[in-house]
Structures are given as C-alpha cells and as structure tokens.
Amino acid sequence: MYKNTLKRIASLVLKYKFSFMLSLICAFLYTLSSLVIPLITGKAIDFVISEGDVDFQSLLRMLFFIALLALLSFLSSYLMARLNNRISYLVSRRMRDLSFSKLSKLPLSYLDSHQTGDTLSRIVSDIDNLSDGLILGFSQLFTGIMTILGTLILLFNLSWILASVVLLVTPLSFFVASFISSRTNRMYRRMAEDRARQTECIDEMVRMDDEVKIYHGKRKAEEIFDKINEDYAASSFKATFFSSITNPSTRFVNSVVYALTALTGALLAINGRISVGLMTSALSYANQYTKPFNEITGVIAEFQNAIVSASRVFSLLDEKEESTEGEVEISSSEGEVAFDDVSFSYNKDQKLIENFSFKALSGRHVAIVGPTGAGKTTIINLLMRFYDADKGRILLDGKDITSINRQSVRRLFGMVLQDTYIRNATVRENILMGRSFSDEDVIKAARLSHAEGFIERLPNGYDTVLSDESSALSQGERQLLSIARIMLSLPPILILDEATSSIDTRTELLIQNSFSHLMQGRTTFSVAHRLSTIENADTILVMKDGAVIEMGDHKELLARKGFYYELYRSQFA
C-alpha cells in the first residue's frame, strides 16, 4: 500500500512536469553553489596562511566568486521554494476537486454506512497534511540527496581517507532514519483515525445541539468528547514524540562524523598530507554530508503523516461509484410504474421487502402508509434508484429501469421530502437548484406553492441569502421552498414524502389544492403518517414489516376494518 500511494502521488505531481523540472534545475543549482563555496573558501584560507606575503589579488577573486555563488544559492533556493509550493497546492487542489466530484458519484449506500466526520476529515484535514508533507519533501528531499552525492564526490577528490571515515558512519544515520520511520508511520495512522473520530463527534454535537440541551445531555456529550480527545491527545503525543527524537538523534550522528573527520584531518595536516585550507573544506563537506540526513529524517515524520493521509484520500477515491447502468436515455414518461416480484434489504442478514408486486397506472395517486420501519421510504429509494433491487424488476412504462440511464430515470421524478435541504445561496437559487428557468417561472412556482408571501417579507426578497443552518426560516417555510422546486419542474412522476408534515392546517389546505392541480395527469407516490392527507388517493398501500398487507382506496380499507382501520382510528380517537 505504501509503494502504491507513493506512485499515485508521483503521478499527480508529474501532471505539472514543467514546474517539476524547473524545480529540479533550481535544486541542482542550489546544491552546486552550496558545494562549491566550501572548496573556494578552503583555497582562500590557503592564500591567507601561505608562506610569504598574502596573495590579496587571488584572495579578493575568491571572495568575489563566493559572493556570486551565495547570490546564486539564494535565488535558486527562493525560486525552488516558490515552485514547490505551487506544485504542492496544485496537487492538493486537484485532490480536493477529485474528492468532491467523487462524493456526487458515490452510491447512497456509502454515505449511509460511513460517518460524515470521517469523510470530511479526508477531504479537509488529510489533504492539508498531504500538502504540508509535499512542501517539505520537495524542499528537502531532492536537495538532500544531491548534497549527499555531491559531498561524497568532492570528499573523495580532496582525500579518500576523510571520505572513508565519513562513509563508515553512514550506516548509523540509516539506522536512525529506519528506526524512527517504522514507528512514526503506525503512530500517524492511529492519529489520523482519532482525528476523524473527533471531527465526527464535533459535527454531531453541533448538529444536535438543541437535542443535547433539551435532554440535559451536555455532561454526557462532554464525557464522550473528552474520551475521544484523550485518545487523540495520546496518539498525537506518541507520534510527536517519535518525530521529535529525530533531530537530537541525527545531531548526535552529525557530531560523531564531524569529530572523527576533524581528528583524522588534523593528523593528516600535521603530517603534511593535506593543507589547512583543504582540511577546512573537508570539515565543511563532512558537516554538509550529515546535514541532509538530519533534514531528511526530520521530514520523515511529516512525510509519513502525508502518506497516511494520502492513502485515506485515495481509499475514498477508489470507492465503487454508483453505476449509470443502462444505455437508454429517456426525456419523457407516461408515468406507469410496476414492481415485479421485488425483494430488497439494506442488511443481507435482515430481511425487509420480499416478493413485492404492484402496478401504478399513469396519472394515479398511490399512497403508502404504515408504521415506522415498514419499508415506505425504501420503496421510494428503489424507485429513484438510490438503491437497486436484490431480486425482481421495477418497470417504467414497461421498461426495466436498470436498462435506463440512472440520471435519466431521476430526471423524471420530482420529490418533496419531510427534511428540507437549504443551500447556502439566495432564495431564487434555492428554488432553481442549478436548473435554467426565468425569474417569471420562479415567481410563478413560489406563488403556486404559497411561498410567495413569506419570501416577499424577507429583507431582500428572492435575493435573500439562506443557509441550511439559518434560523431565518421556519420548518414550514423551508418545506414551502421545497414544494416550489417541484412546482417549477413539473415532472411526470411525483414523490411526496410527508410533504406537508411541518405546515399549519390552513396552509396545508392551500397546498393540497395546489397539489391537486399539479397531480392531474401525473403519477404520484405519497408517503404519509397523517392519513387525512391521503383520503382521496386512488390506491393506498398499507405496509408492515416490508410487506403490503392491505391495498385499496380509503373507503374500502375502512370497510374491511383491518390494520388500516386501526391506524386511522388511532389518529382520530
């Protein structure tokens, strides 16, 4: 998995080849200038301590070259940092685009079975961690490798004995890096999991704040958060501990290398094997050789965190998408819907709907009633292809809906749900929901849904900005906006899931009249708990434990004095 994640990150980085190659060139120039400066410095020292007069002309020439190389080092380092930042942020932006696009392609079953906080953590925190790791990696990994190779070449050129001393201590650096790397990877993975749990907990508590206060759950909520926070603190501490020992460990290795090089170089200088200036250059190279190990091992902690975070994002991107299934594109429908021996369950170990068969003729109003958990909403989910049947067929105008493009099927439906979603946008945009209609059409839809009254009372009318957390609208007004959406599109098939549950009785009567007009010539499926709203339905399906136990119109079902009769009496007793 580790290698596969690295390969995928590399493929994303290589999409920006020009910036990447330019960054490598800058890294090469930075490393080259940094390596040549100690060599010239050593020669300059030899000009100062040579026998006889100091060669000021040569000394000034060396200082001039050192100044030019220092300027080149600064410019190449600055440009490299800018390029690395650009690549890092472009990669993170692309991953966020891919992740956000992926969300719209995932089946409802994925969103139902995964915590919201974990998904948010992958798209926000994990991609941030990846971005930070890439910046450090680009800035220090390339230059570090080049510096190690360059210093070795120059050291061997100066003195093979000093180069051998440096090489002998190299395995110690690799051991330190390997020891820390093997532990930080595991620690950062645990930390990422705990961070996701914490995000989920915070998101849940914010959304349920009113329920927590009503049921005096503040103390319990704090206990839950404290436990998760303690776990996160513990895993963060362990990850930070192992990453923090990197610097002192590598500094110890650096000191050992420097001391051995200085001792060996001094002995060689005393015996006249090398000059003092060359020994000074060798000491600088010994320090430069070990410094990248210090930087690279320092990057390991961040890079390990970045790899772990990237793997979590890639696992989201690798999730199986909702298949379109079906090459047939349809733009209109007669609205005839049939269930043919359909069986379905969310959990394969727990049966829900079995051998369900029913036919809704075009233009008919079909109401679905029953206790909680009977399978009413499941029927709607199957109709909309949020889920596909495990067995049997669902037919639309005689065609199996699995042979029709999934999006094509959904365009034929208009839905009003009990829980209304409000976008962070204007009232007009909330009604349009990305569709193209004129302002006149929007106003007409608002008027038909009886939403026009409260919209005109808003500060900026149709241009008032709303949000899903906004308290500017009551639950009933939010539902009126949802009804306006369906009034705007006029689809051939309607789905009303407790569409008027949060609206007062007077407004409900007005909307029912609008629905009566809207439902003419359209097939309508309505899920209802308030049985008074579906008394005029052509057919009522009474469900219990995933099965249709009664079927007929309101008068027929009352006359039978069965389960529907008991439900109806319980509401008017």
Side-chain angles (χ1 to χ4, degrees):
M1 184 189 74
Y2 188 91
K3 291 182 179 179
N4 183 51
T5 302
L6 283 175
K7 287 180 181 178
R8 295 181 69 171
I9 293 174
S11 67
L12 287 170
V13 171
L14 290 176
K15 290 183 180 295
Y16 312 100
K17 292 180 181 177
F18 178 77
S19 297
F20 181 69
M21 294 304 297
L22 193 57
S23 175
L24 287 180
I25 293 171
C26 290
F28 175 76
L29 292 174
Y30 169 73
T31 305
L32 181 64
S33 57
S34 300
L35 291 175
V36 174
I37 287 175
L39 185 62
I40 298 176
T41 302
K43 291 182 178 180
I45 290 173
D46 284 339
F47 286 134
V48 173
I49 66 172
S50 62
E51 294 180 5
D53 297 332
V54 176
D55 187 350
F56 285 104
Q57 186 177 358
S58 298
L59 180 60
L60 290 173
R61 189 169 63 252
M62 293 297 103
L63 292 176
F64 176 72
F65 285 141
I66 290 173
L68 284 179
L69 289 169
L71 179 62
L72 177 61
S73 176
F74 166 74
L75 292 176
S76 57
S77 175
Y78 172 76
L79 184 56
M80 179 180 65
R82 290 291 299 269
L83 289 168
N84 290 343
N85 284 348
R86 182 176 184 274
I87 294 170
S88 176
Y89 292 134
L90 285 173
V91 169
S92 61
R93 185 183 72 177
R94 176 163 177 77
M95 289 194 72
R96 278 206 174 91
D97 288 341
L98 291 172
S99 300
F100 189 80
S101 176
K102 184 73 176 185
L103 287 180
S104 65
K105 299 174 184 176
L106 290 173
L108 189 63
S109 57
Y110 174 87
L111 300 176
D112 284 345
S113 59
H114 287 74
Q115 293 181 331
T116 304
D118 180 67
T119 305
L120 292 175
S121 179
R122 293 174 193 242
I123 298 176
V124 180
S125 301
D126 286 328
I127 293 180
D128 280 341
N129 292 335
L130 172 61
S131 177
D132 294 340
L134 284 178
I135 292 173
L136 282 173
F138 283 129
S139 300
Q140 298 179 9
L141 187 61
F142 297 148
T143 56
I145 293 172
M146 291 180 185
T147 300
I148 291 169
L149 295 176
T151 51
L152 279 178
I153 293 171
L154 289 170
L155 271 173
F156 272 106
N157 186 52
L158 292 174
S159 171
W160 67 268
I161 298 176
L162 292 176
S164 300
V165 170
V166 171
L167 278 176
L168 284 173
V169 191
T170 299
L172 183 60
S173 295
F174 285 120
F175 171 76
V176 170
S178 176
F179 176 82
I180 296 172
S181 174
S182 62
R183 282 154 181 78
T184 52
N185 183 38
R186 184 172 66 252
M187 299 303 174
Y188 273 111
R189 181 170 294 279
R190 178 61 184 272
M191 189 178 78
E193 293 171 354
D194 289 339
R195 182 175 59 241
R197 289 173 56 218
Q198 187 184 63
T199 305
E200 173 65 22
C201 180
I202 294 170
D203 176 71
E204 184 180 273
M205 292 307 170
V206 170
R207 287 187 290 106
M208 298 175 57
D209 182 64
D210 49 353
E211 284 88 349
V212 170
K213 290 177 179 177
I214 289 172
Y215 294 105
H216 307 288
K218 181 181 176 182
R219 179 172 297 178
K220 183 64 177 177
E222 288 176 348
E223 289 175 0
I224 294 172
F225 181 79
D226 285 344
K227 177 63 171 63
I228 296 174
N229 208 25
E230 285 176 8
D231 293 341
Y232 183 41
S235 59
S236 299
F237 175 78
K238 290 178 181 178
T240 304
F241 171 77
F242 278 100
S243 63
S244 64
I245 65 174
T246 301
N247 195 273
S249 300
T250 51
R251 283 185 181 276
F252 170 74
V253 176
N254 293 354
S255 300
V256 172
V257 172
Y258 192 85
L260 291 174
T261 305
L263 179 61
T264 307
L267 293 173
L268 291 174
I270 291 172
N271 294 322
R273 301 283 296 273
I274 60 172
S275 67
V276 174
L278 288 181
M279 188 190 78
T280 305
S281 298
L283 286 173
S284 295
Y285 287 135
N287 189 47
Q288 281 185 292
Y289 175 78
T290 53
K291 186 178 178 182
F293 286 101
N294 187 24
E295 292 176 346
I296 291 171
T297 49
V299 167
I300 285 175
E302 283 291 338
F303 202 66
Q304 291 284 0
N305 191 17
I307 295 299
V308 169
S309 297
S311 66
R312 283 168 48 81
V313 178
F314 287 136
S315 68
L316 171 65
L317 296 177
D318 291 339
E319 287 290 338
K320 186 177 180 181
E321 296 181 1
E322 184 179 59
S323 62
T324 55
E325 282 188 12
E327 300 178 355
V328 179
E329 287 277 351
I330 55 175
S331 57
S332 61
S333 171
E334 295 297 324
E336 184 177 283
V337 178
F339 288 79
D340 181 17
D341 197 31
V342 171
S343 297
F344 174 79
S345 64
Y346 298 103
N347 184 349
K348 305 310 174 186
D349 298 328
Q350 185 176 355
K351 295 180 180 180
L352 183 57
I353 293 176
E354 289 190 291
N355 308 116
F356 175 62
S357 295
F358 172 74
K359 186 173 185 179
L361 298 176
S362 176
R364 296 299 182 92
H365 178 195
V366 179
I368 308 173
V369 302
T372 300
K376 304 185 296 296
T377 302
T378 301
I379 295 295
I380 303 304
N381 286 337
L382 293 173
L383 267 178
M384 298 287 290
R385 289 201 70 191
F386 292 139
Y387 290 87
D388 283 328
D390 298 331
K391 173 191 169 188
R393 301 181 303 161
I394 299 176
L395 306 174
L396 181 60
D397 296 336
K399 300 184 185 70
D400 191 331
I401 61 172
T402 57
S403 68
I404 306 172
N405 180 278
R406 197 182 295 265
Q407 296 303 320
S408 183
V409 169
R410 291 173 184 168
R411 280 195 292 267
L412 301 175
F413 288 83
M415 179 181 287
V416 180
L417 300 176
Q418 182 177 5
D419 297 322
T420 305
Y421 167 69
I422 301 295
R423 288 181 57 206
N424 187 16
T426 65
V427 173
R428 180 183 289 100
E429 290 168 330
N430 265 285
I431 296 176
L432 286 170
M433 290 297 286
R435 299 167 295 179
S436 299
F437 289 94
S438 66
D439 287 348
E440 289 76 14
D441 291 332
V442 172
I443 293 171
K444 182 180 178 181
R447 186 178 301 118
L448 288 172
S449 65
H450 300 281
E452 187 180 41
F454 82 82
I455 292 174
E456 290 179 345
R457 290 194 297 269
L458 293 173
N460 298 309
Y462 288 89
D463 295 318
T464 302
V465 177
L466 306 174
S467 69
D468 199 40
E469 295 82 17
S470 174
S471 58
L473 300 181
S474 67
Q475 186 63 33
E477 288 169 339
R478 292 160 67 95
Q479 213 159 27
L480 288 175
L481 277 185
S482 180
I483 294 169
R485 292 169 185 164
I486 201 172
M487 294 289 188
L488 187 64
S489 58
L490 298 176
I493 306 174
L494 306 177
I495 293 178
L496 312 176
D497 190 349
E498 289 296 317
T500 58
S501 62
S502 300
I503 299 173
D504 62 89
T505 305
R506 179 176 176 277
T507 306
E508 180 184 351
L509 292 174
L510 295 173
I511 292 176
Q512 290 294 349
N513 291 333
S514 297
F515 274 152
S516 297
H517 174 73
L518 181 67
M519 289 160 57
Q520 289 179 9
R522 292 181 174 83
T523 307
T524 303
F525 291 87
S526 59
V527 176
H529 290 291
R530 290 160 60 181
L531 302 185
S532 60
T533 62
I534 48 93
E535 291 180 357
N536 295 323
D538 297 304
T539 305
I540 300 174
L541 303 180
V542 184
M543 298 191 68
K544 184 180 181 182
D545 300 327
V548 176
I549 58 173
E550 292 178 0
M551 184 186 308
D553 61 29
H554 177 68
K555 291 183 179 179
E556 290 174 355
L557 293 173
L558 285 180
R560 292 177 192 172
K561 294 190 176 181
F563 189 69
Y564 179 82
Y565 175 79
E566 295 298 328
L567 285 176
Y568 190 80
R569 278 176 55 86
S570 66
Q571 292 189 9
F572 296 96

